[in-house]
Amino acid sequence: MAERKPVIAIAGASGYIGNNLLDCLKGKATVIGLSRNGGLRKDTEDVKWRSCDLFSMKDAEKGLEGADIAVYLVHSMMKSAKLTQGNFEDMDVILADNFAQAAKRQGIQQIVYLSGIIPEEHESQLSQHLRSRLEVERVLRAYDVPVTALRAGLIVGPKGSSFPILSKLVKRLPIMILPKWTSTKTQPVALKDVLTALTSIITDFDLKDRSIDVGGPDVMTYRTMMKATANVMGKNPKMLDVPFFSLTLSRLWLRLVTNTPKEMVYPLVASLKHPMVVHRSHTVEGISNGQTPFKEAAQIAMDADAKKEKRSTPLLPTLGPLKQDVRSVQRIKLPHGWTADEAARYYVKWLETFLNPWVHTTVDSDLNCKIGFLGNRTLLELSYSGERSTEDRALYYITGGFLLDDQANERGRMEFRKIPGASEAIIAIHDYLPSLPWFVYYVTQANMHAFVMSAFRKHMNRLSVSEQDRQYVRNLTVEDTP
């Protein structure tokens, strides 16, 4: 009797790393490819595609059904809706939390996550990008499913983020300005070595609940890496050290020269001040030690990129998304001991007080909420989902009201979600379709919502500080009691 192949679900299977990983797993596993547009892709003998929006926990649960191992290759630097309010850190929390909870409910045996090398510094000193990677690891581990995090620095391949930016700089500039961060040490790793490490973790090694660094054989500065890349291209650009060149100027410089979206450039540049070198305490023989030298990896990446350019044909410009949806995500502090459900109920009361006398809110016995403007005009109607809510997550479907396009609305929703292991919560609106014409919505309701959420965040911060002060006084009183 043939041995049963493991079933591997890959979130981000249509992306740069995921697409290459599919080829590595051929014949070794049955793969479920998870992608927002999975339903448009053709199944093969080795890969079964599923449409999955990880901002929806229900989608995540359906996506992971029947899998043994779940691979997480998701990162939310780019916008996920026509209008996106919020930063990638907060969105990454939602995605990871949905994935981890779904993995728990579907009996997943192991989560494999491709993360970034974390410098040995205090977390508060880390860049926003690396702090987010570390937070995602923690969230994935919060539900008792074993997690193996493979941490890589700069991955040398034809796509992705860091190396293509670097190669474009070298290719386009005869004179290169080198800021202070170009002297930071890094340990680049070839795409094929990352894929080998991921495949080994998934199929060959029992390395559950570990964080493992992977790097190539060369430890270099970004300056020497640029020189090596220029050498591979047959170029010899003049390099000028400019120690006063700030990160802000570096971001603008990289955007202008490489034509890379700011959503990708800004977080990456902020991380360049950190040395990204493999730590001995996080190494595993056969996984951590990539064998491909940087120059060889760079040549492979550029050859692949050149072949792609030759094969490509001019296309008509693609239209932007027709769906005029909104995603709004904010992080707030929670007073000590508060649940997400309590924060949701408090928000409804606070909203009426804050916008008095123009806005009134009502909540019925089933926790359904109506937000009204003056008289009886209902602006939004929120229907509480008791089935999908817990004390750590309160979910409301947006089901009606003057401000909702109820003809196009399918699953607009608002949620309050506690971040595992932190006294913080995420308030998010997903798949909201406004009834107002888009330009009118953009300059009125969207800005008003951002203003209200900013005010609520500040209010909750003050409330949390007050609670801390009260707790401090209580502790002093206890200590002073004879």
Side-chain angles (χ1 to χ4, degrees):
M1 186 175 177
E3 185 179 348
R4 175 184 174 274
K5 291 180 183 178
V7 180
I8 315 297
I10 302 178
S14 59
Y16 162 52
I17 301 292
N19 201 41
N20 284 282
L21 185 59
L22 294 179
D23 292 332
C24 296
L25 293 173
K26 277 184 181 177
K28 299 177 182 178
T30 300
V31 177
I32 300 169
L34 304 180
S35 170
R36 283 191 184 182
N37 300 312
L40 302 178
R41 293 176 176 269
K42 190 175 181 180
D43 290 349
T44 65
E45 185 179 343
D46 297 292
V47 182
K48 309 300 178 188
W49 287 94
R50 293 177 183 173
S51 289
C52 182
D53 178 4
L54 288 181
F55 279 108
S56 163
M57 191 179 295
K58 191 178 288 186
D59 269 22
E61 290 170 6
K62 290 178 180 177
L64 295 181
E65 187 177 359
D68 302 309
I69 296 172
V71 182
Y72 191 73
L73 304 174
V74 178
H75 200 30
S76 63
M77 281 186 177
M78 301 305 291
K79 291 182 178 180
S80 55
K82 181 166 183 180
L83 175 64
T84 300
Q85 295 176 328
N87 62 53
F88 72 86
E89 279 184 286
D90 298 341
M91 293 184 203
D92 275 343
V93 167
I94 297 174
L95 296 169
D97 197 49
N98 280 344
F99 193 78
Q101 290 197 52
K104 174 73 172 178
R105 291 173 186 173
Q106 295 294 3
I108 296 296
Q109 299 167 22
Q110 181 187 16
I111 294 173
V112 178
Y113 168 48
L114 180 59
S115 183
I117 288 178
I118 306 298
E120 293 180 336
E121 298 179 39
H122 191 275
E123 188 174 339
S124 63
Q125 297 174 318
L126 294 177
S127 69
Q128 184 184 18
H129 180 244
L130 293 178
R131 193 168 61 240
S132 175
R133 290 293 180 100
L134 193 57
E135 184 175 48
V136 167
E137 279 190 38
R138 282 204 300 265
V139 171
L140 290 175
R141 289 191 164 105
Y143 299 96
D144 300 321
V145 178
V147 175
T148 304
L150 181 69
R151 295 174 171 177
L154 186 147
I155 299 176
V156 185
K159 291 185 180 180
S161 51
S162 301
F163 181 72
I165 290 174
L166 182 143
S167 62
K168 284 176 185 176
L169 281 177
V170 175
K171 184 178 181 180
R172 297 175 181 179
L173 294 177
I175 300 175
M176 299 190 67
I177 298 172
L178 300 182
K180 187 176 180 180
W181 56 259
T182 58
S183 63
T184 304
K185 287 186 177 181
T186 185
Q187 193 167 351
V189 58
L191 170 63
K192 66 177 184 179
D193 290 335
V194 172
L195 295 171
T196 298
L198 281 171
T199 305
S200 296
I201 290 170
I202 293 167
T203 61
D204 300 336
F205 290 79
D206 184 16
L207 293 166
K208 295 178 180 178
D209 268 341
R210 294 281 300 273
S211 294
I212 303 169
D213 290 355
V214 60
D218 303 310
V219 176
M220 328 169 71
T221 64
Y222 288 98
R223 180 194 176 104
T224 55
M225 195 158 45
M226 289 175 182
K227 275 192 173 183
T229 302
N231 186 260
V232 172
M233 291 181 179
K235 291 179 171 289
N236 186 28
K238 187 174 180 61
M239 296 187 172
L240 301 176
D241 291 313
V242 185
F244 56 82
F245 208 62
S246 69
L247 286 178
T248 301
L249 289 174
S250 294
R251 293 187 304 197
L252 293 172
W253 172 55
L254 288 171
R255 277 194 69 197
L256 287 171
V257 175
T258 66
N259 197 30
T260 306
K262 69 177 183 179
E263 291 86 0
M264 188 172 290
V265 168
Y266 283 18
L268 291 175
V269 169
S271 299
L272 295 176
K273 63 183 179 180
H274 298 297
M276 303 287 279
V277 179
V278 168
H279 304 296
R280 286 187 179 180
S281 58
H282 290 154
T283 59
V284 173
E285 189 66 31
I287 290 183
S288 298
N289 48 330
Q291 299 298 305
T292 311
F294 174 78
K295 279 191 175 183
E296 181 183 335
Q299 186 69 67
I300 292 170
M302 286 185 275
D303 288 347
D305 203 36
K307 286 179 183 177
K308 182 187 172 187
E309 285 183 8
K310 286 180 181 178
R311 287 197 304 266
S312 63
T313 55
L315 298 173
L316 290 173
T318 55
L319 295 174
L322 295 176
K323 186 179 179 183
Q324 297 185 331
D325 61 332
V326 177
R327 174 165 285 112
S328 180
V329 180
Q330 289 84 26
R331 184 184 302 228
I332 63 167
K333 288 185 179 180
L334 286 178
H336 178 72
W338 278 42
T339 65
D341 190 56
E342 288 171 332
R345 299 185 197 193
Y346 182 77
Y347 171 76
V348 174
K349 294 177 181 177
W350 172 88
L351 187 65
E352 182 174 75
T353 303
F354 181 66
L355 296 179
N356 183 60
W358 300 282
V359 168
H360 299 282
T361 60
T362 59
V363 180
D364 66 20
S365 58
D366 295 321
L367 302 182
N368 302 314
C369 174
K370 286 186 178 180
I371 301 172
F373 181 73
L374 295 176
N376 295 318
R377 193 62 180 265
T378 300
L379 296 178
L380 286 174
E381 191 174 287
L382 307 176
S383 298
Y384 181 73
S385 175
E387 180 187 352
R388 304 294 300 174
S389 297
T390 66
E391 66 173 16
D392 288 333
R393 182 190 183 230
L395 177 64
Y396 298 82
Y397 288 106
I398 306 173
T399 51
F402 171 72
L403 297 177
L404 176 71
D405 183 352
D406 53 6
Q407 298 299 313
N409 176 59
E410 292 181 2
R411 55 178 189 176
R413 60 200 184 277
M414 183 175 190
E415 66 171 345
F416 294 72
R417 178 194 302 254
K418 188 176 187 302
I419 299 175
S423 296
E424 295 176 315
I426 296 289
I427 304 175
I429 291 176
H430 305 286
D431 298 322
Y432 172 65
L433 297 166
S435 62
L436 296 174
W438 186 257
F439 175 75
V440 176
Y441 167 78
Y442 191 83
V443 299
T444 58
Q445 187 185 342
N447 285 321
M448 186 61 187
H449 176 72
F451 167 70
V452 169
M453 294 313 300
S454 175
F456 185 62
R457 182 173 61 251
K458 292 175 183 176
H459 174 78
M460 293 300 284
N461 287 349
R462 288 195 297 270
L463 212 60
S464 299
V465 170
S466 298
E467 175 61 33
Q468 290 172 8
D469 289 343
R470 286 194 292 270
Q471 185 62 44
Y472 177 70
V473 171
R474 283 197 293 270
N475 289 340
L476 284 180
T477 304
V478 170
E479 290 172 4
D480 292 342
T481 302

